[in-house]
Amino acid sequence: LFTYKRLSQTSAVHVCCCFLLYLLLELFLIILFSTNNFLVFFIALELTLLPLVLLIVLFGKQIRRIYATFMLFSYTFIGSFFVAVGLFAGFYVTQSFSFALWGNVVYECLHQRDGLTLVEPGLCFSKEQYQILTFSCLCFFIGFCLKLPIIPFHTWLVEAHVEAPTEGSVILASLILKTSSFGLVQVVYGVFFSQGFGALWLQPLAWVLGFYGLLQCSFYLCAHIDLKRIIAYSSIVHMNMALISLFSGVELCSMGALVIYIGHTLISGALFFLVGMLYECKGSRLITAHSGIRYSMPRFTGWFSLFIFACLDIPPFFSFLGEVFIICGLVGLNFGVVILFFMPTIIVFIFVFFTVLQAILDGGIFGSHLQENKTDLVPKFGDVSGLDLVVLGLLVWGLLVCLFFFWMVV
């Protein structure tokens, strides 16, 4: 809908190209999320990047879009290399590309290593095969961390968000990142970690990367006034939170990680959509260029505040449910871990609430004269209306449905 509104005054060829890329992306995502075959999953995972790359190159407005595309391709190519190595290393042991069979082989391999009774006595694994499976698990973990991304592999994500058009940023945050999240959940966690495989080294590795990423991204976020960069770093913060929770070894924390992934899909997409509206109005994403918009765009102010508070994981929003699950799970492990986990969240909350919200909505430290000059703030395309309300309404409806579903399940 946003693409149609933005490109309605351009040629029909541009509109058709855009929607063709969307349809191709939808096809690849359906295949990726529905397959039970590792090889098909890997091929679909790589094909989902092609429409995004074309969107950035063809419809991006910034002069650095070629550099951003190069960064995106380079990092994801390296990640794909690790995923491919892990895939064929696991195939060497299992002789199959089936998710279910891989899980059975890992289960039997662990039983044989620990001297327990095998479910299928005919299966016999050597120490070399166990080491190959360990190497496969490590390759999958590194590959998906590169694609997710996790610090220090995050550089490409910020550049891609900044240089991509609005719809490209929404797709990248809401869908493309979730393909790597799905890989972590389905492969690394589902096939290996949930059965105890690699628990001695995978959990410390995930926690070191996760806590380091949380702290560093929180300070990175506070150093920028570009709205897209701020939202991009907040996305990385949420991905690191989910990584720590997923590999905590507590089932409740793993459920919290899934809630964070789902909530991030809707909330981050909505924020990039709203920032894209601001960029279309004034041609800038800097906080200083949009100070005091509540005087000229009151409806936009309400929607923006709504999704900012949802991004901060405060009640009664859907992402707050994930925080509750994570707190309840981590308290049982170590209370110090809970404090370390929420320090970056507090830093982000203080920065976003006292700097971003006050500066954009009321002028804050950037413009105390705005109340006397409200006429200077009238945007080019007016306030939120029409198709914008439809898009934002659908996102809010999705959050409400997810919240109701999880409360019913719990």
Side-chain angles (χ1 to χ4, degrees):
L1 292 174
F2 185 82
T3 302
Y4 178 77
K5 177 183 177 182
R6 186 171 68 86
L7 298 178
S8 58
Q9 298 179 350
T10 62
S11 65
V13 176
H14 284 77
V15 178
C16 291
C17 287
C18 246
F19 281 95
L20 178 61
L21 293 175
Y22 294 157
L23 291 174
L24 286 175
L25 180 62
E26 181 181 5
L27 173 64
F28 299 148
L29 288 172
I30 291 173
I31 295 173
L32 186 146
F33 288 120
S34 60
T35 185
N36 194 33
N37 185 285
F38 264 112
L39 187 60
V40 177
F41 169 82
F42 175 72
I43 294 173
L45 180 66
E46 301 312 306
L47 290 177
T48 53
L49 294 173
L50 294 179
L52 179 64
V53 168
L54 292 176
L55 278 174
I56 296 175
V57 173
L58 298 178
F59 300 101
K61 295 184 179 181
Q62 305 296 318
I63 58 176
R64 285 167 57 89
R65 65 181 185 273
I66 303 300
Y67 171 73
T69 305
F70 174 76
M71 293 286 289
L72 169 65
F73 180 80
S74 300
Y75 275 88
T76 53
F77 178 79
I78 297 172
S80 301
F81 172 77
F82 279 102
V83 173
V85 170
L87 174 65
F88 289 104
F91 178 78
Y92 175 79
V93 177
T94 62
Q95 296 298 307
S96 173
F97 289 117
S98 171
F99 284 122
L101 185 57
W102 276 47
N104 292 336
V105 169
V106 170
Y107 180 80
E108 297 291 347
C109 188
L110 283 173
H111 272 59
Q112 179 175 312
R113 185 202 63 176
D114 298 334
L116 302 176
T117 304
L118 298 180
V119 178
E120 298 182 26
L123 293 176
C124 185
F125 301 98
S126 63
K127 184 178 180 181
E128 177 188 358
Q129 290 175 312
Y130 179 82
Q131 292 173 345
I132 292 175
L133 284 177
T134 303
F135 175 72
S136 174
C137 178
L138 179 61
C139 286
F140 277 124
F141 180 78
I142 295 174
F144 289 127
C145 283
L146 278 163
K147 288 172 169 288
L148 195 54
I150 300 297
I151 282 184
F153 316 120
H154 68 288
T155 312
W156 69 268
L157 179 67
V158 180
E159 291 293 335
H161 272 308
V162 170
E163 306 303 328
T166 300
E167 52 270 32
S169 294
V170 174
I171 289 172
L172 177 58
S174 300
L175 299 175
I176 302 299
L177 294 187
K178 300 308 169 293
T179 59
S180 301
S181 305
F182 180 75
L184 273 178
V185 174
Q186 181 82 347
V187 181
V188 183
Y189 178 81
V191 174
F192 294 99
F193 187 77
S194 63
Q195 304 188 70
F197 193 95
L200 295 178
W201 58 268
L202 190 55
Q203 184 184 41
L205 177 60
W207 278 31
V208 168
L209 290 175
F211 281 118
Y212 173 70
L214 275 178
L215 291 171
Q216 188 171 7
C217 271
S218 299
F219 289 109
Y220 279 169
L221 185 148
C222 298
H224 291 283
I225 60 172
D226 187 317
L227 286 171
K228 264 197 172 182
R229 289 185 181 273
I230 291 172
I231 300 172
Y233 278 116
S234 71
S235 296
I236 301 175
V237 168
H238 282 87
M239 293 299 101
N240 281 274
M241 291 171 62
L243 180 71
I244 295 170
S245 308
L246 189 64
F247 294 100
S248 64
V250 180
E251 185 177 354
L252 198 58
C253 289
S254 301
M255 187 182 297
L258 296 180
V259 174
I260 288 179
Y261 284 140
I262 297 172
H264 177 268
T265 299
L266 300 170
I267 296 168
S268 184
L271 286 174
F272 279 115
F273 172 74
L274 290 167
V275 172
M277 290 179 55
L278 283 180
Y279 182 77
E280 294 292 333
C281 290
K282 290 190 175 181
S284 175
R285 297 184 303 270
L286 300 182
I287 295 175
T288 53
H290 304 288
S291 298
I293 59 172
R294 76 181 180 91
Y295 302 112
S296 59
M297 303 173 69
R299 289 193 297 273
F300 177 91
T301 300
W303 286 104
F304 188 77
S305 301
L306 175 71
F307 284 105
I308 281 289
F309 285 129
C311 183
L312 293 174
D313 302 332
I314 62 175
F317 296 103
F318 177 67
S319 51
F320 174 72
L321 183 61
E323 298 274 4
V324 172
F325 288 161
I326 295 170
I327 292 174
C328 295
L330 290 180
V331 165
L333 291 178
N334 192 326
F335 189 73
V337 174
V338 179
I339 297 176
L340 187 60
F341 183 84
F342 281 100
M343 278 179 56
T345 306
I346 295 172
I347 294 171
V348 172
F349 180 85
I350 293 173
F351 173 76
V352 171
F353 185 77
F354 289 103
T355 302
V356 178
L357 272 181
Q358 284 196 6
I360 292 180
L361 303 185
D362 200 31
I365 61 175
F366 299 111
S368 59
H369 65 286
L370 294 173
Q371 294 188 14
E372 291 77 21
N373 298 282
K374 297 177 185 178
T375 56
D376 296 336
L377 300 171
V378 178
K380 181 180 179 181
F381 294 122
D383 205 349
V384 175
S385 61
L387 293 176
D388 304 327
L389 289 174
V390 174
V391 174
L392 295 171
L394 289 173
L395 291 169
V396 172
W397 178 80
L399 284 173
L400 294 175
V401 170
C402 292
L403 180 62
F404 174 77
F405 173 76
F406 270 92
W407 277 119
M408 290 295 292
V409 170
V410 174

